Amino acid sequence: MKIGVCTNFLSKDTYALHVEIFGKLASVFDFVELPAMTIGQIPEETFEQLINELTINELNCDYVTNLFPREFSLIGDYSNTKEIENYLNNLIPRLEQIGCKGLVFGSGYARRLPDGLNISFGDHCMVKLIVDILLPKLEKTGMKILIEPLHPSLCNYLNTIHHAVKICKMCDSPDVGIVADSYNLMDNNETTEQIVKYAHHIWHVHLSEAKRKCPGNNPSKDFIKFIGALRKSEYTGSISLECQMSDYREYQKNKEVCEGLFKDL
């Protein structure tokens, strides 16, 4: 099992790449998961620095998260297809250059369901975006789309594994799967059952306590229960810690805690 780290919530500098600590991250984790919208918007000189730091530290970027900027509107009358395509046309070649394997599609602000629109229309828009725009642009890259159910406080649409599976089935593509994120899902009473039921759709996992805190030496009962469901489903895929951690000791400790929970439950 490969364990990586998301850089987007490592500190209060949200959505940062943190290239300055890639050396420390590489000494603990198997890969980094970087914020896509940051990669897509940085100048070329900064992007070249990112490539250099990944190469120097022999660090892989297996996944990216935060796919779309919050100012985008992906669902409803204000969705701008041309703006979305232009953004992706700049982003995807960069993701290819850094060896990305999967795009985590959370983007709670961008995919909010506008007032007055029903869930069925939201599903139609999501599937159309994935099937008509994202998948064709990723066709020759080998990259996958990973739908992320989000906590209701972050987005008013697509909040459960069950709903994400429905979208996957509507897309009908071997390149569309799911991310299960403990922060977003573990306070939903149906989550553990859904993890086991839909395990074959879950290709990647994010681990964090509430408020993006790290589990530390005393992980919560909900966190342990979440990992227990993954164990029961015989999950062996990749994991990213998506929580606030300040230094090498915290990186190492929290990775070991998560490894221990998977072994000891």
Side-chain angles (χ1 to χ4, degrees):
M1 178 179 289
K2 294 177 69 176
I3 298 182
V5 61
C6 297
T7 67
N8 55 341
F9 291 116
L10 272 178
S11 70
K12 293 182 179 180
D13 187 9
T14 312
Y15 309 128
L17 299 173
H18 289 298
V19 294
E20 71 280 0
I21 58 170
F22 275 8
K24 294 178 181 178
L25 297 179
S27 68
V28 177
F29 297 104
D30 299 311
F31 62 90
V32 288
E33 183 170 334
L34 303 174
M37 63 184 187
T38 304
I39 294 172
Q41 295 175 322
I42 56 177
E44 189 62 29
E45 181 179 351
T46 307
F47 178 66
E48 291 297 329
Q49 180 188 3
L50 169 61
I51 294 175
N52 289 338
E53 290 297 328
L54 289 170
T55 303
I56 291 168
N57 292 288
E58 298 181 344
L59 189 59
N60 295 323
C61 176
D62 287 358
Y63 301 93
V64 292
T65 188
N66 309 118
L67 181 54
F68 290 101
R70 61 186 297 166
E71 61 268 20
F72 275 37
S73 179
L74 303 177
I75 294 176
D77 295 336
Y78 295 102
S79 180
N80 187 328
T81 300
K82 190 64 177 177
E83 180 184 44
I84 293 168
E85 289 190 336
N86 288 340
Y87 167 75
L88 293 172
N89 287 341
N90 180 63
L91 173 65
I92 290 172
R94 287 185 168 188
L95 299 185
E96 280 192 276
Q97 285 185 261
I98 61 175
C100 178
K101 298 176 182 177
L103 285 65
V104 175
F105 189 174
S107 306
Y109 286 101
R111 79 171 196 216
R112 288 187 67 84
L113 193 66
D115 292 342
L117 299 182
N118 60 38
I119 292 174
S120 295
F121 183 77
D123 291 349
H124 168 78
C125 292
M126 276 289 289
V127 172
K128 187 173 179 61
L129 172 60
I130 293 170
V131 173
D132 292 351
I133 298 178
L134 278 167
L135 288 177
K137 292 186 181 297
L138 297 176
E139 185 176 6
K140 297 180 181 180
T141 69
M143 286 184 267
K144 311 291 186 183
I145 299 293
L146 305 172
I147 300 168
E148 184 178 27
L150 296 174
H151 193 279
S153 65
L154 298 179
C155 187
N156 64 349
Y157 168 72
L158 216 169
N159 308 118
T160 66
I161 293 173
H162 176 79
H163 193 175
V165 169
K166 178 185 177 183
I167 300 297
C168 285
K169 290 179 178 179
M170 291 173 69
C171 291
D172 191 25
S173 169
D175 296 324
V176 180
I178 293 171
V179 172
D181 184 313
S182 61
Y183 171 85
N184 288 308
L185 295 168
M186 65 184 179
D187 64 354
N188 183 323
N189 293 330
E190 298 178 359
T191 289
T192 52
E193 178 183 338
Q194 290 180 14
I195 287 174
V196 176
K197 182 177 181 179
Y198 299 118
H200 63 288
H201 289 281
I202 299 173
W203 298 349
H204 185 47
V205 167
H206 287 167
L207 291 180
S208 168
E209 290 278 17
K211 299 181 180 179
R212 288 295 175 201
K213 293 182 179 179
C214 54
N217 292 322
N218 296 295
S220 68
K221 290 181 179 178
D222 285 340
F223 187 84
I224 293 172
K225 187 178 179 181
F226 184 89
I227 291 184
L230 292 169
R231 280 283 306 274
K232 185 176 180 180
S233 72
E234 299 182 347
Y235 180 76
T236 58
S238 54
I239 290 172
S240 290
L241 295 182
E242 191 177 21
C243 47
Q244 294 177 354
M245 296 178 286
S246 60
D247 55 33
Y248 173 85
R249 289 185 297 178
E250 281 205 318
Y251 307 153
Q252 188 66 47
K253 178 178 69 177
N254 285 286
K255 182 186 179 187
E256 290 173 354
V257 166
C258 292
E259 288 174 329
L261 286 172
F262 271 94
K263 292 176 182 177
D264 296 341
L265 287 173

